[in-house]
Amino acid sequence: MVLLRIALGKQLRELRHAQGRTLRDVAGAANVALGYLSEIERGHKEPSSELLTSICVALETPLSEVLAGAALNARRVEQAAEVVRPIRSAA
Amino acid sequence: MVLLRIALGKQLRELRHAQGRTLRDVAGAANVALGYLSEIERGHKEPSSELLTSICVALETPLSEVLAGAALNARRVEQAAEVVRPIRSAA
């Protein structure tokens, strides 16, 4: 089962890494606790829409781009499940 | 400011309308209260990732497609803001 917070957190972490920035830097810019941002990136916490927008601003990336990336992450998991399902059905 | 819950709610409502289904039908299939689904569609409530997945299953639409649609909704709002900003700056 694909979950939004997993697909989203992965995308936020990838963006931050691509910019060579630390959790401390982005958390400070987004005005969120470092530990909380880390939990969001790992898909353990659901950010509110307002907090997600703050993180997008901190990453200087439009929400639409973050969502498009999260959609691709979700698609990859869905495709992997499609590959697994027939194997299980055949078993 | 673009918010995830607005972009997502709009997409869920559009999908339901495109399928010619009622709030009652989709709420029943997703095992969520009708009023709560309506609040989600209007962008007033943040669905948990688990509930969002249940709604996607009820709409027989992969999460990736819902997120891609939400990304387009967010992009439209961002583009409208880009048009408005120069007008304000010039004033």
Side-chain angles (χ1 to χ4, degrees):
Chain A
M1 191 169 76
V2 198
L3 289 178
L4 171 63
R5 64 174 175 272
I6 308 276
L8 207 51
K10 184 172 156 59
Q11 190 59 21
L12 294 173
R13 174 155 284 184
E14 282 175 3
L15 265 171
R16 181 173 64 74
H17 284 173
Q19 296 178 7
R21 295 169 70 185
T22 61
L23 268 173
R24 187 173 305 277
D25 173 24
V26 175
N31 202 24
V32 56
L34 186 152
Y36 199 69
L37 179 59
S38 173
E39 291 282 284
I40 289 169
E41 284 189 353
R42 283 184 285 154
H44 293 175
K45 295 282 181 196
E46 310 254 5
S48 70
S49 292
E50 283 78 4
L51 178 53
L52 178 60
T53 294
S54 291
I55 298 169
C56 289
V57 170
L59 290 167
E60 296 175 3
T61 306
L63 176 67
S64 60
E65 279 184 33
V66 171
L67 290 182
L72 286 177
N73 290 339
R75 185 76 198 112
R76 277 186 213 111
V77 178
E78 288 160 1
Q79 283 173 329
E82 282 163 19
V83 172
V84 167
R85 206 171 298 130
I87 296 168
R88 283 202 185 138
S89 303
Chain B
M1 192 169 76
V2 198
L3 290 177
L4 171 62
R5 66 174 175 273
I6 307 276
L8 206 52
K10 184 173 155 61
Q11 191 59 21
L12 293 173
R13 173 155 286 183
E14 282 174 4
L15 265 171
R16 181 173 62 75
H17 283 174
Q19 296 178 6
R21 294 168 72 185
T22 61
L23 268 173
R24 187 173 306 276
D25 173 25
V26 174
N31 202 23
V32 56
L34 185 152
Y36 200 68
L37 179 59
S38 172
E39 292 282 285
I40 289 169
E41 285 190 353
R42 283 184 285 155
H44 294 177
K45 295 283 181 195
E46 310 256 3
S48 70
S49 292
E50 284 79 3
L51 178 52
L52 178 60
T53 294
S54 291
I55 298 169
C56 289
V57 170
L59 289 166
E60 296 175 4
T61 306
L63 177 66
S64 61
E65 278 184 34
V66 170
L67 290 182
L72 286 177
N73 290 339
R75 185 75 197 112
R76 277 186 213 112
V77 178
E78 289 160 1
Q79 283 174 328
E82 281 163 20
V83 172
V84 167
R85 207 173 295 130
I87 296 170
R88 283 203 184 137
S89 304

